Amino acid sequence: MANGILIIDKPGDWTSHDVVAKLRGLLHERRIGHAGTLDPMATGVLPVFVGRATRAVEFAAEREKEYLATLRLGTVTDTQDITGTILSTQSITATREAVEEALAGFRGDIQQVPPMYSAIKREGKKLYELARRGQEVERAPRPITIHELELLDQPSPTDFTLRVLCSKGTYVRTLCHDIGQALGCGGTLAALRRTRSAGFSLNEAVTLEQVAQAEDPTALLLPVDSYFAGHPILLLKEGAAEKRLRNGSPLSLDGRDGTYRVYSSRQEFLALARLERGRLTTIKSFFEV
């Protein structure tokens, strides 16, 4: 069975769900999930977890992400990107220096109001469902962190290329919208490419075409334990200890407190576990039942 992590360079005009559906056919595995949804217009790093590796998705979702974004000034749309309906246009007077100054107000810990065109739910309804009916509801600001925000280039009088390193929950199109508001001319997201997510970069990514053309697509999978490579290894002796862990029971073990990758005596990755004051408890198991 296919088990592991596949880093896909998502093409434009595909939803993240489309990618998962395609890979289910190519890998002949139903248990596939992704970390960090990308809008259809966006391209780049989409970590995909296959088989029992899907149990690691929750850990991947917490990691920071990096994007290359094109901010287009002078245009405001209902979706906050160029796929939406244009609400207003305005002539551009902002210079590169003015944009640089505006970016300073968006670095660090900030509050961001989620867009109406998002999957956030309000009273059981997704906001984008309400938006498509012409409804707009009040949204509470959410705390996010923009770790790095850099102006890389100005390819045209209206377009500015930004590098954004941000926390989970950040809407880059809302960031572009808000920067445009701060400059007084409005702004929208014209292009987006994710260059890093869940600790993976574009250097590790493959295209769907490469997966389809591979003689053995499962050979492209990274082992799930590699995702936790920052944690030390704990090797269990064959017998009672492994049986207790597989049954979900805590173990009494000597060792330094911390989080460990736990392996069987046959070097099978069993679980991510926490050792505290001589007691080992499972955080998440990864063995086949």
Side-chain angles (χ1 to χ4, degrees), residues 253 255-258 260 274-281:
L253 290 174
R256 180 178 296 178
D257 286 0
Y260 289 83
R274 176 75 185 173
L275 182 61
E276 191 167 2
R277 290 181 289 184
R279 182 182 174 90
L280 184 75
T281 55

Side-chain angles (χ1 to χ4, degrees), residues 116-277:
M116 276 300 300
Y117 280 88
S118 65
I120 295 171
K121 288 187 176 181
R122 172 68 63 84
E123 297 179 355
K125 295 287 186 180
K126 293 180 179 177
L127 289 184
Y128 69 76
E129 295 174 341
L130 300 177
R132 287 170 181 168
R133 298 175 192 165
Q135 301 177 40
E136 183 164 352
V137 297
E138 187 174 349
R139 288 96 66 203
R142 295 184 169 195
I144 61 167
T145 302
I146 306 297
H147 300 286
E148 297 177 23
L149 180 57
E150 181 183 7
L151 175 55
L152 298 180
D153 193 17
Q154 183 182 358
S156 78
T158 61
D159 289 0
F160 297 82
T161 305
L162 308 177
R163 184 181 70 85
V164 184
L165 181 64
C166 56
S167 66
K168 73 164 190 172
T170 300
Y171 289 91
V172 179
R173 51 196 163 97
T174 299
L175 179 65
C176 289
H177 171 86
D178 292 348
I179 293 170
Q181 293 293 99
L183 288 164
C185 58
T188 194
L189 177 68
L192 185 66
R193 182 159 178 77
R194 189 157 67 191
T195 53
R196 199 189 332 164
S197 179
F200 300 106
S201 70
L202 278 172
N203 293 333
E204 300 161 277
V206 295
T207 64
L208 287 172
E209 289 78 8
Q210 287 175 304
V211 179
Q213 294 169 8
E215 184 175 340
D216 178 12
T218 63
L220 299 173
L221 293 171
L222 302 172
V224 65
D225 56 331
S226 67
Y227 185 70
F228 303 107
H231 298 297
I233 292 173
L234 196 160
L235 191 65
L236 296 181
K237 294 181 180 179
E238 189 172 6
E242 181 180 336
K243 184 176 181 180
R244 283 182 61 83
L245 184 136
R246 286 182 179 272
N247 288 334
S249 301
L251 305 178
S252 295
L253 290 174
D254 293 328
R256 180 178 296 178
D257 286 0
T259 301
Y260 289 83
R261 288 177 287 157
V262 182
Y263 293 80
S264 72
S265 60
R266 300 173 301 283
Q267 299 188 354
E268 175 192 359
F269 179 48
L270 298 177
L272 187 71
R274 176 75 185 173
L275 182 61
E276 191 167 2
R277 290 181 289 184

Side-chain angles (χ1 to χ4, degrees), residues 43-114:
T43 65
V45 175
L46 182 68
V48 176
F49 294 75
V50 181
R52 64 176 179 266
T54 53
R55 298 178 64 79
V57 169
E58 64 186 84
F59 302 97
E62 298 298 318
R63 303 284 288 271
E64 61 190 23
K65 301 171 177 63
E66 183 184 64
Y67 299 89
L68 292 179
T70 300
L71 162 66
R72 179 162 296 165
L73 293 179
T75 300
V76 176
T77 72
D78 59 351
T79 60
Q80 301 180 344
D81 61 37
I82 57 169
T83 68
T85 300
I86 294 176
L87 301 178
S88 66
T89 57
Q90 191 171 327
S91 59
I92 306 303
T93 57
T95 62
R96 179 167 181 151
E97 290 72 24
V99 174
E100 288 272 19
E101 290 180 11
L103 297 186
F106 293 91
R107 297 188 181 106
D109 297 330
I110 65 173
Q111 296 285 320
Q112 186 181 72
V113 177

